[in-house]
Amino acid sequence: MKILTIETTCDETAAAVVTDELRVLSSVVASQDELHRRFAGVVPEIAARAHVERILPTIDEALTRANVRLEDLAAIAVANTPGLAGSLRVGLVAAKTLCVATGKPLVAINHLHAHIYACRMAAGREVFPCVGLIVSGGHSSLYRCAGPTDFAYLGGTIDDAAGEAFDKVAAKLGLPYPGGPAISKAAERGNPRAYDFPRGLAQDRRRLDFSFSGLKTAVRYAIAGPQNPDLANCTLTEQQVADLAASFQEAVVESLIGKTLLAIERTKLGTLCVGGGVAANRLLRERLAAAARRAGFDLHIAPPELCTDNAVMGAIAFERLKAGKTEPLDLDAVPGLVRR
Ligand code: KG4
Ligand code: ZN
């Protein structure tokens, strides 16, 4: 059995063909990074328009590479939540139109659940039940994942997402968008103890929430203090940029790991799955691996190509399809985070 999966939640237009044995027959990702770079962040209207231009060629390419015709598909699946409203709707309209034209069933994908399912795809074996950590440009959340269709929200960021903090701090440091890879690279030559940045909510062990906005402000004041608030006229040496990047990265990674270990302790689950763009971060991966060795839990981090947005992780749709959960054709986009 084969399905087509479509992903347009943010700024990647992606489509894939996957089998119910979770074999990937094709995966196409059209990145929009170059369109958003000069704004140092995703511009929703530009993202939606670019999806409109790219969605049909991307789907065509996925079907062609998989050597599959629309008639061969068992269903068409699309991520309808959470994400940018305009972006989500482009994928949704494409999926629904294909369903109308072919009579195939429509399956809904929760984009955050799919980020965790990337670990299932890569592992080639069961990973549930697990604690799920999703760290991306739009989200930083912890879930108790009883099964692939049974997620319970444990906590998450109360302000910025981790990826968003990477992107905003990178812009302040004069590093290119997306900020995550650029900061990670700059940090290689930096001292992670050069600046003592805050670990938001770290002391509050009652909640499994994150906060990154205070950290972002702290970096801003480390670059330009209250006496000299003009960021644009601050010149930093290469070493200062490296030290700021390394110290910032250290603070994000420590914050994420602290609450994640707390979630494992609380839930008593022996497996941790980590997905989302920030999960590509090397320091985070190394620290998580060390923590897993120390605490003795099973660790699955999505491989870097399945961390950032893609349609392969949309194979989670099989879990719903097999349970008979298909959608009516008036399925809508739900941009906001539904905490389940
Ligand atoms: O999952 P994703 O592709 O899109 C969303 O669903 O948001 O995540 C994109 C985010 C960006 O903020 C980017 O800066 C961050 O992931 N990112 C990284 C790394 N690679 C991508 N953050 C830290 N280190 C990285 N190596
Ligand atoms: Zn994502």
Side-chain angles (χ1 to χ4, degrees), residues 7 9-10 111-112 115 134 136-139 276-277 307-310 313:
E7 153 63 42
T9 59
C10 187
H111 178 71
L112 297 187
H115 266 305
I134 298 146
S136 71
H139 302 277
C307 281
T308 43
D309 288 345
N310 64 86
M313 63 194 192

Side-chain angles (χ1 to χ4, degrees), residues 53-72:
E53 283 169 10
R54 294 160 190 220
I55 188 71
L56 292 180
T58 301
I59 291 172
D60 252 349
E61 178 91 22
L63 293 171
T64 306
R65 282 198 209 163
N67 199 17
V68 159
R69 294 165 310 165
L70 282 171
E71 307 85 278
D72 304 329

